[in-house]
Amino acid sequence: MSGPPRRPRPAAVALLRRLTPGTLRGRLSLVALVTATLLMVVLTVAFDTVAQHRLQHQADDELRARAAAVATTVDTGGTAVRVRESAHDDLLDAHVWIYAGRRLLEAPPAAGRLTRVAGALAGHGGRRCVTVDVHGPLRLCSQPVPGARSEATVVTALDLSPYRNSADTLLLGSLVLDAVMLACTYALTRLAVGRALRPVRTMTDQAAQWSAVTSEERFGSIRHPAELARLGTSLDAILDRIRTLLRHERQLTGELSHELRTPLSRIIAELDWWQARPRTAEQTRATHRVIADAAESMRTICDTLLEDARGGTLTAPGTVEVLSALRRLTETADLPGHVRLTADGAALVAGVPAALLERIVSPLLANACRYARTGVAVRVGPAPDGVRVDVVDDGPGVPPSFAGLLFEPGRRADPGDGHPGAGLGLPLARRLARSVGGEVVHDPGHTAGARFVVSLPAG
């Protein structure tokens, strides 16, 4: 019965982790070294096999050449096989056996057990070779004598020690060459990977020095390889998104400060007025109502801005009767009495919440009252795709050179004109209108003052 598979021992895992390089350069070098080692092992084994086969083939050729030389001394013309004497008989007799059929005609002195091996080869007939180990490796081959009317066979033997030594020398040389090549492969891989990763190290140092908000330096402005160039482009896009998010965060903070200033000023003014001298109970209740309305307005402002900052569309859609909402806005806001509100149609309903309508129109109305000379006109009328609100004043108007920068956060045509403001009201009004499918634009054709047009979807 087999049990659950064994898990690696913690000590072995820890040892493996210690042996694994911790850097990408070391790991790539190790992978290259292991791959090259496997390749060298395969090539070395194949080379050694081919070398041994080639040396054995040379030994067999040598044996066949010696057998052919000995066969010239064998006389098969008569009725019996006879060995003729030659001038180099001593050389031919060394490791040579001559058989007539199975009968041994001549054998080298002190052949011993080799004679039995030679006899077995001659008995099988034909060309055969075998390797034996008798005080060293020997190769024996049998070859029939050509043209013999009676079966005559010559068996020759050859010492394979020189061939084996050559094979061992070749193997040792290939191993040394493999070791040198592996060392060079590892060194060159580390050098090449180090040079390839140098731009990454440079990019890391640059990222630590640069500021995502204030610095205009980018990775894409520096020449890199194609792969790192794509990485640099991606990092630049991330930096741009971070800078945009931080800019939006600062903008949201400024918008909150700008929008909360008016109700907060009302709360402070009411508290100062209430503490200036004793008040009746009715006056105290009136002060409490004003403070509660201002606090509710602050809460609405915060909810509106935060909801818009979270995703672009408000989570509390609704409808509002535009004329009544604007009438309430002109009555409760700190505006002069010369604001004139008119409507081109009764019961015009916009598809936005009442609080959002107030937040859109309030900055336009505040700016108009701030710069108007004699009066401000607010007109409500139908539009082809919803409701239109015009806010018109008879002030100096918007300078033509500043019209393109009118809705950029923090920009004012004349910061030293003596009027308060941070240049955030108009951008906030446009952003809130666009979040519900509306728009806020400036009418450049209106020359007698300034006209802003608010377009809202129908309810």
Side-chain angles (χ1 to χ4, degrees):
M1 183 176 180
S2 60
R6 296 182 178 179
R7 295 181 178 179
R9 295 181 179 179
V13 175
L15 178 61
L16 182 62
R17 289 178 179 176
R18 284 198 299 269
L19 295 178
T20 302
T23 62
L24 180 60
R25 178 183 182 183
R27 292 183 180 181
L28 291 178
S29 301
L30 182 60
V31 170
L33 180 62
V34 172
T35 304
T37 301
L38 294 177
L39 180 62
M40 291 299 178
V41 169
V42 173
L43 292 178
T44 301
V45 172
F47 174 76
D48 184 64
T49 302
V50 172
Q52 289 189 3
H53 179 74
R54 181 59 182 170
L55 290 174
Q56 180 173 305
H57 184 71
Q58 291 180 357
D60 292 346
D61 290 343
E62 176 67 21
L63 290 172
R64 292 190 183 98
R66 186 181 296 181
V70 173
T72 60
T73 65
V74 178
D75 184 9
T76 59
T79 57
V81 178
R82 184 173 61 86
V83 180
R84 296 191 297 265
E85 297 295 332
S86 64
H88 303 287
D89 189 57
D90 293 340
L91 296 177
L92 296 178
D93 288 343
H95 296 96
V96 174
W97 293 262
I98 303 175
Y99 288 87
R102 291 181 175 275
R103 183 168 59 87
L104 179 61
L105 299 181
E106 185 171 328
R113 55 177 291 194
L114 290 179
T115 301
R116 292 194 296 273
V117 178
L121 288 174
H124 285 91
R127 293 184 177 183
R128 293 178 178 274
C129 294
V130 67
T131 301
V132 296
D133 192 352
V134 180
H135 306 295
L138 293 174
R139 182 76 171 171
L140 286 83
C141 289
S142 63
Q143 181 172 328
V145 177
R149 289 177 296 178
S150 60
E151 296 181 357
T153 304
V154 176
V155 179
T156 54
L158 182 65
D159 186 7
L160 295 180
S161 297
Y163 296 91
R164 294 286 177 87
N165 292 337
S166 298
D168 293 341
T169 302
L170 289 175
L171 179 60
L172 179 61
S174 63
L175 292 177
V176 173
L177 180 61
D178 291 346
V180 174
M181 292 184 66
L182 289 177
C184 294
T185 299
Y186 184 76
L188 292 177
T189 302
R190 285 188 63 87
L191 179 61
V193 173
R195 291 178 62 87
L197 294 179
R198 187 177 301 167
V200 179
R201 185 166 56 250
T202 303
M203 294 171 68
T204 304
D205 297 338
Q206 292 170 345
Q209 297 173 1
W210 293 348
S211 169
V213 181
T214 59
S215 177
E216 295 298 331
E217 296 290 339
R218 288 296 181 261
F219 297 108
S221 62
I222 303 174
R223 185 175 181 180
H224 292 303
E227 296 82 359
L228 294 182
R230 294 179 59 187
L231 175 62
T233 302
S234 300
L235 293 177
D236 289 343
I238 293 175
L239 287 177
D240 291 336
R241 285 196 294 271
I242 292 175
R243 186 166 61 172
T244 301
L245 290 175
L246 293 177
R247 185 172 62 250
H248 286 173
E249 182 181 352
R250 291 200 306 269
Q251 179 179 344
L252 176 61
T253 303
E255 291 171 352
L256 285 172
S257 175
H258 176 269
E259 291 297 312
L260 294 177
R261 185 181 296 113
T262 298
L264 185 60
S265 299
R266 292 181 60 190
I267 293 175
I268 295 175
E270 289 292 333
L271 289 176
D272 291 342
W273 178 80
W274 182 74
Q275 293 175 352
R277 60 175 181 261
R279 298 294 174 181
T280 65
E282 182 61 29
Q283 291 175 332
T284 300
R285 284 193 296 270
T287 300
H288 289 170
R289 285 195 298 270
V290 172
I291 293 177
D293 291 341
E296 179 64 22
S297 176
M298 293 175 66
R299 186 186 68 82
T300 303
I301 291 172
C302 291
D303 291 343
T304 302
L305 291 176
L306 292 177
E307 289 291 345
D308 176 68
R310 286 193 185 106
T313 57
L314 297 174
T315 59
T319 59
V320 61
E321 205 282 310
V322 179
L323 186 60
S324 61
L326 294 181
R327 184 177 293 112
R328 184 171 57 253
L329 178 64
T330 57
E331 291 174 353
T332 58
D334 292 334
L335 299 173
H338 53 260
V339 176
R340 183 165 51 91
L341 177 62
T342 60
D344 295 339
L348 294 174
V349 179
V352 298
L356 182 60
L357 176 63
E358 294 180 5
R359 297 276 64 78
I360 295 174
V361 179
S362 292
L364 306 178
L365 200 54
N367 277 357
C369 293
R370 182 180 302 153
Y371 293 101
R373 294 191 179 95
T374 60
V376 175
V378 179
R379 290 192 292 269
V380 181
D385 54 352
V387 180
R388 168 174 172 158
V389 178
D390 293 354
V391 180
V392 184
D393 67 75
D394 58 354
V398 178
S401 60
F402 186 73
L405 306 176
L406 190 60
F407 291 96
E408 291 191 10
R411 304 298 295 268
R412 295 185 59 190
D414 185 9
D417 58 3
H419 294 288
L424 297 173
L426 295 180
L428 174 62
R430 168 176 280 186
R431 187 153 68 92
L432 292 178
R434 288 179 175 179
S435 69
V436 292
E439 184 60 278
V440 175
V441 297
H442 168 251
D443 183 7
H446 186 79
T447 56
R451 186 207 318 251
F452 289 89
V453 179
V454 180
S455 301
L456 298 173

